[in-house]
């Protein structure tokens, strides 16, 4: 390993990836390891951070990890679950109780290098059921909290043993709601672990170039280039590493692209000087035929991923490109969301992680130079490589494209809504002063790190966006069995909602493409493109009061890393315009704005 590196042990908490990102901001590389990885893997790191977990230490859950890490002469910091495991391992006591939720103020007991540059009292973010009530020999209390959700003092919020270099924070230093958290993690990495801050983007570029040359050897790379940020950055990196003669690009129009997108992609690759090595194929017929009557999101995803490879291999044969590796712009969240670690549930199988590609990876036939980066880092890397700003700041667009924004139905699945659920949702809405109706269709979401496939709720209300969003959050927290709330842009709630039978067809895709185009064009025209991280437009086969066969859902969100997101709104004049222009498209029955954060929703509906 060329750099001082920190191991982040992922116990399945929501934020392991965030810990890694925050460590990297100190120009120190961080890698995610599994708790049961062999001890030899841990020995090469300069420090270890144990993440949080949905498991309970007090019940002995998830205690089968590599305990030999505690024999290593390497500093270890535990966060939440990790903090409790450290306390317990070294003779302290953890009980079920002392729960804290949300903000608390931590009083620092004494000046300690972990809290260098921080105040005596720091706001910290808590989320735990278990707590440490006694610490073992050699440990000291470094901080306790006062005035949290229950207004009670809580001891052992931060503990440490300087001789062994073992530390624990009950709070989540990695989340933005612990404002001093970045400094604390930096203190651990730089002061306690004494890491050299050598992981700069410039050096990363040099190293990746070396790595690509090593992996590819005398072969060449045939890159699937969607035109998105990730594959464009990967393309430029491959060119730098291997020269134009050994890199071929394939852009496939899968029929699931945005309006006019493929033409624009080809144009922009030409502008980047990649035109000579670019091949383009319109394979929309292949994708449509393969999708056939598939309805389930995971089935559709698997088909789309497989068809990419079928077309890719066919084109390679046709073009006489042999002895090549498949290049992909896969980034870190693609792997994680696909259940890329043992504890992570599969939320969605990303198109670049379907079984056929996993087999090719195992056979060493895939090269993915961005696989350990997050989107923010890919953009930074792209800037270093001189890629123009507008290309780097395009909204992310998923590989399966409109295919996962076009909900399908056999007319049955998801249509049977339990009477009790319908009643609870309706009553909840009435009490809060709006109309709430469970819709007879399902979409994918993520709750407590697990996949959900549940019904959305339609809210009809004249409340403001802020008020209705808050109400949606409360409803989603209180009622089980729903995972999204959408806000009806019409002022009247439908008195009849019917689920239609629908598949992936060219006509439906064209309709969605048109609606998506109106949304994206409006966002640009109103100058808010760069304020919004992404804005999927979704088509669902529902009819309101028998006026048409489809509803359109607009989903603007704010996010930084796509692992979490909050719903955004659009300016009221734009909403009004969209209500009219999308409403005038053939067969449109209703239009709504998605109010759901991630979790419990996901960004895409499928
Ligand atoms: P979700 O819907 O899981 O999406 O919250 C997180 C981010 O990932 C994008 N996404 C994909 N990107 N291949 C991709 O390249 C995929 O299969 C895929 N599925 C989701 C999504 O657009 C969002 O930015």
């Amino acid at each position: 390993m060329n750099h001082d590196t920190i191991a982040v042990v992922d116990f399945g908490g929501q934020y392991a990836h965030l810990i890694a990102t925050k460590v990297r901001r100190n120009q120190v590389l961080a890698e995610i390891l599994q708790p049961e990885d062999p001890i030899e893997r841990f020995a090469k790191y300069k420090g270890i951070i144990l993440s949080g977990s949905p498991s309970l230490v007090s019940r002995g859950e998830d205690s089968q990890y590599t305990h030999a890490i505690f024999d290593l002469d390497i500093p270890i910091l535990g966060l939440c679950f990790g903090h409790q495991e450290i306390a317990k391992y070294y003779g302290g006591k953890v009980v079920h109780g002392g729960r804290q939720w949300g903000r608390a103020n931590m009083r620092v007991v004494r000046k300690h290098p972990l809290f260098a540059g921080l105040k005596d009292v720091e706001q910290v973010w808590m989320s735990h059921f278990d707590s440490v009530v006694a610490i073992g020999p050699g440990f000291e209390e470094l901080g306790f909290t006062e005035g949290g959700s229950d207004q009670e003092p809580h001891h052992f919020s931060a503990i440490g043993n300087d001789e062994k270099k073992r530390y624990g924070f009950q709070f989540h230093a990695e989340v933005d709601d612990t404002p001093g958290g970045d400094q604390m993690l930096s203190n651990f990495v730089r002061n306690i672990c004494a890491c050299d801050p050598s992981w700069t983007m410039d050096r990363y570029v040099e190293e990746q170039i070396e790595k690509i040359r090593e992996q590819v050897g005398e072969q060449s790379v045939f890159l699937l280039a969607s035109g998105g940020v990730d594959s464009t950055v990967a393309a430029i990196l491959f060119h730098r590493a291997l020269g134009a003669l050994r890199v071929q690009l394939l852009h496939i129009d899968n029929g699931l692209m945005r309006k006019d997108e493929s033409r624009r992609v080809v144009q922009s690759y030409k502008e980047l000087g990649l035109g000579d090595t670019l091949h383009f194929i319109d394979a929309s017929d292949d994708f449509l035929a393969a999708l056939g009557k598939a309805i389930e999101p995971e089935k559709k995803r698997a088909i789309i991923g497989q068809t990419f490879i079928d077309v890719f291999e066919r084109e390679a044969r046709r073009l006489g490109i042999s002895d090549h590796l498949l290049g992909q712009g896969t980034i870190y969240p693609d792997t994680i969301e696909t259940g890329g670690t043992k504890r992570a549930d599969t939320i969605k199988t990303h198109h670049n992680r379907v079984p056929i590609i996993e087999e090719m990876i195992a056979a060493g036939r895939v090269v993915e130079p961005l696989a350990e980066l997050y989107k923010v880092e890919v953009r930074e890397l792209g800037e270093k490589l001189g890629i123009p700003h507008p290309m780097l700041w395009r909204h992310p667009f998923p590989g399966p494209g409109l295919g996962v924004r076009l909900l399908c139905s056999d007319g049955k699945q998801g249509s049977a809504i339990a009477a009790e659920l319908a009643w609870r949702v309706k009553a909840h809405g009435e009490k809060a002063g709006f109309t709430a109706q469970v819709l007879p269709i399902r979409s994918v979401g993520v709750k407590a790190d697990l996949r959900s496939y549940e019904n959305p709720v339609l809210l009809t209300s004249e409340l403001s966006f802020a008020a209705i969003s808050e109400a949606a959050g409360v409803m989603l927290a209180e009622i089980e069995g729903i995972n999204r709330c959408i806000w009806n842009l019409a002022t009247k709630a439908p008195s009849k909602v019917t689920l239609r039978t629908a598949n992936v067809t060219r006509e439906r895709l064209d309709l969605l493409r048109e609606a998506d185009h109106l949304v994206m064009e409006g966002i640009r025209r109103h100058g808010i493109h760069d304020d919004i991280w992404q804005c999927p437009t979704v088509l669902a086969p529902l009819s309101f009061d028998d006026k048409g066969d489809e509803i359109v859902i607009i989903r603007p969100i704010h996010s930084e890393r796509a692992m979490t997101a909050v719903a955004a709104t659009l300016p009221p004049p734009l909403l009004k315009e969209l209500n009219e222009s999308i409403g005038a498209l053939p067969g449109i029955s209703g239009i709504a704005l998605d109010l759901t954060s991630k979790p419990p929703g996901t960004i895409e509906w499928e």
Side-chain angles (χ1 to χ4, degrees):
M1 203 178 310
N2 297 323
H3 302 280
D4 288 350
T5 307
I6 297 289
V8 176
V9 187
D10 178 9
F11 279 96
Q14 290 177 54
Y15 306 122
H17 62 284
L18 249 190
I19 303 172
T21 310
K22 298 244 163 145
V23 169
R24 289 169 185 211
R25 287 210 187 142
N26 292 285
Q27 300 183 340
V28 170
L29 190 55
E31 290 177 354
I32 304 251
L33 265 70
Q34 293 310 298
E36 56 281 328
D37 277 343
I39 190 64
E40 305 76 57
R41 281 213 63 192
F42 289 94
K44 60 184 183 179
Y45 293 93
K46 287 279 280 191
I48 299 174
I49 301 181
L50 311 181
S51 81
S53 165
S55 304
L56 293 174
V57 173
S58 62
R59 302 207 174 132
E61 289 171 0
D62 217 352
S63 55
Q64 300 301 313
Y65 57 93
T66 306
H67 283 94
I69 54 171
F70 292 123
D71 299 331
L72 297 172
D73 187 19
I74 296 172
I76 304 181
L77 169 67
L79 303 175
C80 198
F81 173 90
H83 157 81
Q84 296 161 6
E85 270 302 323
I86 288 177
K88 186 169 133 188
Y89 183 84
Y90 289 102
K93 191 165 177 216
V94 178
V95 297
H96 191 57
R99 169 189 169 155
Q100 285 173 290
W101 188 253
R103 289 196 181 117
N105 293 318
M106 183 183 70
R107 182 166 289 281
V108 176
V109 173
R110 73 165 173 92
K111 290 222 174 306
H112 189 277
L114 269 180
F115 300 121
L118 292 165
K119 302 189 290 288
D120 292 343
V121 176
E122 281 288 328
Q123 180 192 305
V124 296
W125 185 260
M126 295 288 190
S127 176
H128 61 108
F129 288 108
D130 281 357
S131 51
V132 176
V133 291
I135 47 179
F139 274 77
E140 62 176 319
E141 179 177 66
L142 298 176
F144 61 91
T145 56
E146 43 194 15
S149 46
D150 57 2
Q151 297 298 312
E152 294 288 325
H154 288 254
H155 281 282
F156 309 121
S157 308
I159 60 171
N161 178 329
D162 285 329
E163 199 195 316
K164 289 193 160 49
K165 291 203 168 43
R166 301 287 179 259
Y167 302 95
F169 294 160
Q170 178 57 74
F171 52 91
H172 288 276
E174 70 276 29
V175 306
D176 297 331
D177 287 294
T178 300
D182 290 7
Q183 182 66 50
M184 294 174 204
L185 289 175
S186 168
N187 288 341
F188 175 70
V189 168
R190 306 274 275 263
N191 301 350
I192 310 274
C193 304
C195 288
D196 180 24
S198 62
W199 194 73
T200 59
M201 236 350 138
D202 285 327
R203 284 194 61 180
Y204 185 78
V205 172
E206 285 166 27
E207 283 171 13
Q208 283 307 313
I209 288 178
E210 273 314 301
K211 254 178 136 171
I212 292 171
R213 287 182 182 150
E214 217 170 275
Q215 191 189 346
V216 177
E218 297 301 308
Q219 304 178 82
S220 62
V221 169
F222 196 20
L223 174 78
L224 275 178
S226 68
V229 180
D230 308 334
S231 59
T232 304
V233 172
I236 297 286
L237 203 53
F238 282 129
H239 263 247
R240 288 266 176 100
L242 305 169
L245 293 179
R246 286 209 289 147
V247 186
Q248 309 275 335
L249 270 51
L250 177 64
H251 176 68
I252 299 175
D253 182 354
N254 53 12
L256 310 169
M257 306 288 283
R258 293 193 141 134
K259 187 172 176 178
D260 218 14
E261 185 73 355
S262 283
R263 192 190 55 75
R264 263 202 294 262
V265 169
V266 171
Q267 180 61 29
S268 61
Y269 279 134
K270 282 188 183 149
E271 283 162 20
L272 277 174
L274 303 173
D276 291 348
T277 50
L278 178 69
H279 306 279
F280 168 69
I281 167 97
D282 177 353
S284 50
D285 288 341
D286 296 88
F287 281 83
L288 262 179
L291 280 162
K293 297 216 175 312
I295 283 168
E296 293 289 339
E298 277 296 288
K299 183 96 202 289
K300 286 162 71 183
R301 285 175 163 272
I303 293 171
I304 294 169
Q306 173 76 48
T307 311
F308 265 119
I309 296 303
D310 293 346
V311 174
F312 167 82
E313 292 193 327
R314 193 178 70 207
E315 282 307 291
R317 277 195 302 278
R318 193 179 66 81
L319 295 164
I321 300 174
S322 57
D323 226 11
H324 61 275
L325 299 179
L326 163 67
Q328 294 200 118
T330 310
I331 63 171
Y332 190 67
D334 296 341
T335 321
I336 286 293
E337 300 246 321
T338 308
T341 71
K342 273 198 189 139
R343 280 167 178 72
D345 194 33
T346 298
I347 311 299
K348 293 172 183 184
T349 305
H350 281 224
H351 76 291
N352 39 23
R353 279 291 174 274
V354 294
I356 174 99
I357 295 184
E358 297 284 11
E359 281 165 31
M360 292 169 76
I361 292 172
R365 288 195 52 216
V366 182
V367 48
E368 298 180 316
L370 313 179
E372 55 189 30
L373 301 185
Y374 298 89
K375 190 73 98 194
V376 272
E377 293 166 342
V378 173
R379 285 180 166 143
E380 205 185 314
L381 173 58
E383 256 155 38
K384 288 271 172 242
L385 295 171
I387 299 174
H389 185 92
M391 237 178 235
L392 290 178
W393 289 90
R394 301 176 55 168
H395 286 185
F397 189 67
L402 301 181
V404 290
R405 298 178 178 175
L406 187 76
L407 272 59
C408 298
S409 166
D410 59 5
K412 292 188 220 87
Q413 279 194 46
S415 63
I417 300 161
E420 200 207 326
L421 176 66
W423 178 84
R424 280 195 73 192
V425 164
K426 184 166 174 271
H428 185 107
E430 273 166 12
K431 207 165 139 210
F434 51 81
T435 311
Q437 296 159 277
V438 185
L439 297 179
I441 193 131
R442 285 186 290 181
S443 78
V444 178
V446 53
K447 286 181 174 176
D449 297 314
L450 297 170
R451 173 188 170 88
S452 73
Y453 191 37
E454 294 173 327
N455 296 72
V457 172
L458 178 75
L459 308 180
T460 307
S461 157
E462 300 208 358
L463 289 173
S464 67
F465 170 76
I468 194 76
S469 293
E470 200 183 323
V474 173
M475 179 180 273
L476 288 165
E478 285 186 6
I479 302 182
E480 272 179 46
I482 52 172
N483 63 4
R484 286 178 196 269
C485 283
I486 61 175
W487 189 24
N488 191 358
L489 293 193
T491 48
K492 193 173 156 293
S495 43
K496 181 179 167 203
V497 179
T498 319
L499 176 65
R500 303 281 199 224
T501 307
N503 300 114
V504 180
T505 61
R506 212 176 270 282
E507 294 69 33
R508 291 188 77 216
L509 282 167
D510 285 343
L511 181 60
L512 173 56
R513 223 184 313 272
E514 205 50 47
D516 173 72
H517 174 69
L518 290 169
V519 172
M520 294 310 290
E521 187 273 327
I523 284 176
R524 285 202 186 85
R525 190 162 32 82
H526 282 255
I528 54 168
H529 180 272
D530 289 358
D531 303 336
I532 290 171
W533 202 77
Q534 195 175 6
C535 186
T537 297
V538 176
L539 199 70
L542 292 173
S543 173
F544 291 172
D545 296 323
D546 291 326
K547 288 185 302 211
D549 296 320
E550 310 268 8
I551 66 161
V552 168
I553 301 120
I554 308 169
R555 175 143 180 72
I557 54 124
H558 295 302
S559 182
E560 209 178 325
R561 299 175 188 87
M563 301 299 288
T564 54
V566 291
T569 187
L570 301 177
L574 176 56
L575 283 178
K576 189 164 173 286
E577 275 169 42
L578 291 175
N579 202 14
E580 281 162 18
S581 57
I582 295 177
L585 295 175
I588 297 299
S589 198
I591 302 150
L593 190 74
D594 194 340
L595 301 171
T596 321
S597 60
K598 173 183 177 177
T602 43
I603 296 173
E604 307 291 347
W605 273 50
E606 293 196 321

